[in-house]
Amino acid sequence: MKENFLDKNFTLFGKDMNSPDANTDTGGIQLNYRNILNTITEGIYAIDHNGLCVYANNACWQILGFGSGSDVLGQNMHRLVHYKHANGEVYPGRQCKIGKALREGIEIVADDEVFWHKSGKAIPVRYHAYPQFKQNELIGAVVSFYDISQEQLQ
């Protein structure tokens, strides 16, 4: 079974969401972090220090054209969806801005790149890559993104 990055690192309202009572009634609202993340329309994925996907919300795999999250779990996300520029030129991993977040532990924001849909179509995206640390050790990154195709048409 693949290890889930968020399972090891998620708290909500100061409560460890991995505890048996993680589904918490807070002010009359039933909360479950997976439900929250899966209702967000932004794609969100988490990668480990090797760039392998350890979590993907529903919007992530849907925007990218995959049938389910299991299609991206364990995959190198750069090779899967970020391997070339919009002009078709290869995008080496060592030049990747998301990779820079992983290598240098800095937050990256970009809106001048594309992710590649499973069908081969380029998707212009705006993304944020947030490095993730555990006890001061860089362990991966969380990337949130959304399709900016409609914005570019205006």
Side-chain angles (χ1 to χ4, degrees):
M1 185 164 140
K2 294 177 181 150
E3 198 169 54
N4 190 318
F5 182 82
L6 292 178
D7 283 345
K8 297 189 294 185
N9 298 291
F10 198 80
T11 59
L12 184 63
F13 298 111
K15 178 170 243 169
D16 177 0
M17 296 310 290
N18 299 315
S19 69
D21 60 341
N23 293 330
T24 305
D25 187 2
T26 305
I29 300 172
Q30 191 73 10
L31 296 175
N32 175 291
Y33 79 97
R34 289 182 192 276
N35 290 342
I36 293 168
L37 291 173
N38 283 327
T39 60
I40 295 171
T41 58
E42 251 181 293
I44 300 171
Y45 66 87
I47 51 179
D48 67 14
H49 65 281
N50 293 314
L52 302 180
C53 183
V54 294
Y55 173 80
N57 74 343
N58 290 352
C60 173
W61 54 264
Q62 290 169 352
I63 293 168
L64 298 173
F66 293 94
S68 72
S70 63
D71 292 338
V72 297
L73 288 176
Q75 300 296 315
N76 181 294
M77 290 303 281
H78 181 80
R79 291 186 198 130
L80 189 65
V81 300
H82 203 207
Y83 54 90
K84 61 184 175 178
H85 296 282
N87 65 5
E89 186 178 314
V90 173
Y91 192 3
R94 68 185 175 282
Q95 295 174 5
C96 175
K97 294 176 188 175
I98 295 170
K100 186 174 184 170
L102 276 176
R103 290 186 303 275
E104 299 180 19
I106 58 174
E107 182 180 331
I108 301 291
V109 178
D111 62 1
D112 59 346
E113 296 188 2
V114 297
F115 285 169
W116 290 89
H117 191 274
K118 183 180 177 183
S119 69
K121 176 184 148 205
I123 305 167
V125 293
R126 176 171 296 118
Y127 68 79
H128 297 251
Y130 304 96
Q132 299 296 299
F133 297 90
K134 184 174 184 179
Q135 298 174 344
N136 294 322
E137 180 184 349
L138 183 58
I139 60 168
V142 172
V143 178
S144 64
F145 69 94
Y146 57 96
D147 181 341
I148 59 171
S149 301
Q150 293 303 312
E151 291 177 27
Q152 291 184 340
L153 293 176
Q154 298 173 355

